[in-house]
Amino acid sequence: MSAPFIRILNKSLLLLTLVFLSQLSLAQKQVCITVDDLPVVGYGLNSDADWKSVTDKLISNFKKFDIPAIGYVNEGKLKVRGKLSQQRVALLETWLSNGYELGNHTYSHIDYHKNSFKDFVNNVINGEQVIRPLMKKHNSELKYFRHPYLRSGETKERSDSLATFLSDAGYVPSPVTLDSDDYLFASAYAKAFKKKDNTLMKKIGQAYIDHTEKKLKFYEELTETIFGRQIPQTYLMHANMLNADYLDELAEMFIANGYAFASQTQVLKDPAYQKSITKFGNWGMSWLYRWALTDNKGKELFRKDIQVPDFIKE
């Protein structure tokens, strides 16, 4: 075997090794897609057809991109004029029959910081009356809980009380690390839809994807500051028309930034999610902020947080 051939072979092997290591590094960046306020956030678009369309589009794109998403349910939305709507229950069946998991998001999206412990706990219990037997029917177990407004206790005592209740009830809380204020974009998007302004809808949709990518990079920087590494992230989005229409572009954005999609169970295995929180207040924000405040880190970074575009606020 000639020396030039050996050099070429060695270079090829080196290139293949670098590509493999690069792909391995990229695969280690993971994100869990979590969807709040199921069955759907309608923004005035509340017909059975509207809600079915949103649900079907979300599920279709979950399948297309192999996203093991989880949906967090407000059971109060299952009722129409005080009666359980079988059409809305059927939307949850669509999630489950396609292999996607559901979690408890309380019955009526109650704010823990504005209600007594007793009232909040009752709202959690009322929020599992339909989904627990429904999940059992589909050989799935109800085990995850998402705090409405991301409010988990404004004092240590209140936080500990809720954490103890959830643990005793068999729930695992789902902390959010990535949040792009999608509900503001979704509200604007629904208004543009009602006006049949397709140009504005497209502008809002693209602004949402661009904003989310900027927020992702900001949160990655914050993650590095806290943990000295990238951790599996948990992204909060909502079941609305905007995400139904733009989930494909959202998924492509995450992939372009080196992310693979992971389940709720997978991301919560990372030890970062066991990190204690010692600073409390009347806030509802990313757990990355809470961990940074606990470590007395990140205040400089907080000022770099990405703001929603003015035209969306308007």
Side-chain angles (χ1 to χ4, degrees):
M1 191 177 293
S2 67
F5 180 81
I6 292 174
R7 285 196 295 270
I8 292 172
L9 180 62
N10 287 339
K11 287 182 179 179
S12 297
L13 289 173
L14 176 60
L15 179 60
L16 287 172
T17 300
L18 290 174
V19 169
F20 172 77
L21 291 175
S22 174
Q23 290 177 338
L24 182 63
S25 174
L26 290 177
Q28 290 175 343
K29 290 173 69 174
Q30 296 181 321
V31 61
C32 174
I33 303 299
T34 67
V35 188
D36 279 12
D37 299 355
L38 265 61
V40 168
V41 187
Y43 297 107
L45 304 169
N46 292 322
S47 71
D48 290 341
D50 289 331
W51 284 32
K52 187 176 187 303
S53 175
V54 168
T55 301
D56 288 346
K57 285 181 180 179
L58 288 173
I59 297 298
S60 176
N61 277 304
F62 293 153
K63 287 184 173 182
K64 177 181 177 181
F65 291 95
D66 196 21
I67 300 173
I70 180 171
Y72 286 94
V73 180
N74 297 131
E75 283 200 8
K77 291 187 171 187
L78 298 177
K79 292 186 176 180
V80 177
R81 292 184 289 277
K83 294 184 178 180
L84 191 67
S85 165
Q86 293 306 317
Q87 288 86 353
R88 294 188 176 188
V89 173
L91 300 178
L92 302 185
E93 291 259 20
T94 299
W95 279 73
L96 293 168
S97 63
N98 282 280
Y100 299 102
E101 200 164 9
L102 299 178
N104 189 340
H105 196 33
T106 72
Y107 178 83
S108 59
H109 208 277
I110 189 173
D111 186 341
Y112 183 42
H113 293 186
K114 295 181 179 179
N115 290 272
S116 70
F117 174 77
K118 180 180 179 181
D119 287 345
F120 188 84
V121 163
N122 286 336
N123 210 267
V124 174
I125 294 170
N126 288 336
E128 63 179 33
Q129 301 308 301
V130 175
I131 57 175
R132 187 175 290 280
L134 198 62
M135 292 179 72
K136 185 176 181 180
K137 171 185 170 184
H138 287 269
N139 300 312
S140 183
E141 179 186 0
L142 178 62
K143 56 186 175 181
Y144 293 112
F145 176 80
R146 168 64 52 75
H147 302 86
Y149 306 104
L150 304 186
R151 290 180 175 167
S152 57
E154 65 274 41
T155 65
K156 184 179 187 305
E157 291 73 22
R158 292 260 292 167
S159 177
D160 287 349
S161 294
L162 181 55
T164 297
F165 162 76
L166 291 173
S167 178
D168 290 346
Y171 283 109
V172 177
S174 170
V176 169
T177 56
L178 304 180
D179 178 14
S180 64
D181 301 309
D182 74 309
Y183 67 96
L184 295 175
F185 292 85
S187 176
Y189 191 79
K191 291 175 183 176
F193 175 81
K194 292 172 188 175
K195 294 177 181 179
K196 299 181 180 180
D197 190 336
N198 294 329
T199 300
L200 181 56
M201 288 174 68
K202 186 174 181 179
K203 179 181 178 181
I204 293 167
Q206 192 55 58
Y208 167 52
I209 301 301
D210 293 343
H211 177 75
T212 303
E213 185 169 30
K214 291 175 184 177
K215 291 284 281 190
L216 174 62
K217 294 181 184 302
F218 164 74
Y219 282 122
E220 284 183 335
E221 186 177 356
L222 186 54
T223 301
E224 197 72 36
T225 298
I226 300 166
F227 296 103
R229 65 182 176 92
Q230 291 302 310
I231 69 169
Q233 304 281 1
T234 301
Y235 180 63
L236 165 63
M237 58 181 259
H238 295 80
N240 53 47
M241 179 184 287
L242 171 66
N243 281 313
D245 288 349
Y246 277 86
L247 182 56
D248 54 347
E249 293 191 29
L250 185 70
E252 288 168 356
M253 182 277 291
F254 276 115
I255 292 169
N257 281 278
Y259 281 84
F261 299 109
S263 70
Q264 183 74 95
T265 299
Q266 286 174 298
V267 299
L268 292 182
K269 286 180 180 178
D270 191 283
Y273 284 88
Q274 306 306 313
K275 183 177 176 64
S276 298
I277 291 173
T278 61
K279 300 290 177 66
F280 303 90
N282 188 27
W283 52 55
M285 60 188 182
S286 166
W287 263 249
L288 289 171
Y289 271 140
R290 302 169 200 227
W291 290 323
L293 290 171
T294 290
D295 290 349
N296 294 313
K297 294 178 180 178
K299 290 186 178 179
E300 293 283 330
L301 268 175
F302 292 177
R303 299 189 185 97
K304 299 180 183 179
D305 200 348
I306 310 302
Q307 302 303 309
V308 173
D310 287 339
F311 88 95
I312 296 294
K313 296 177 182 177
E314 294 167 2

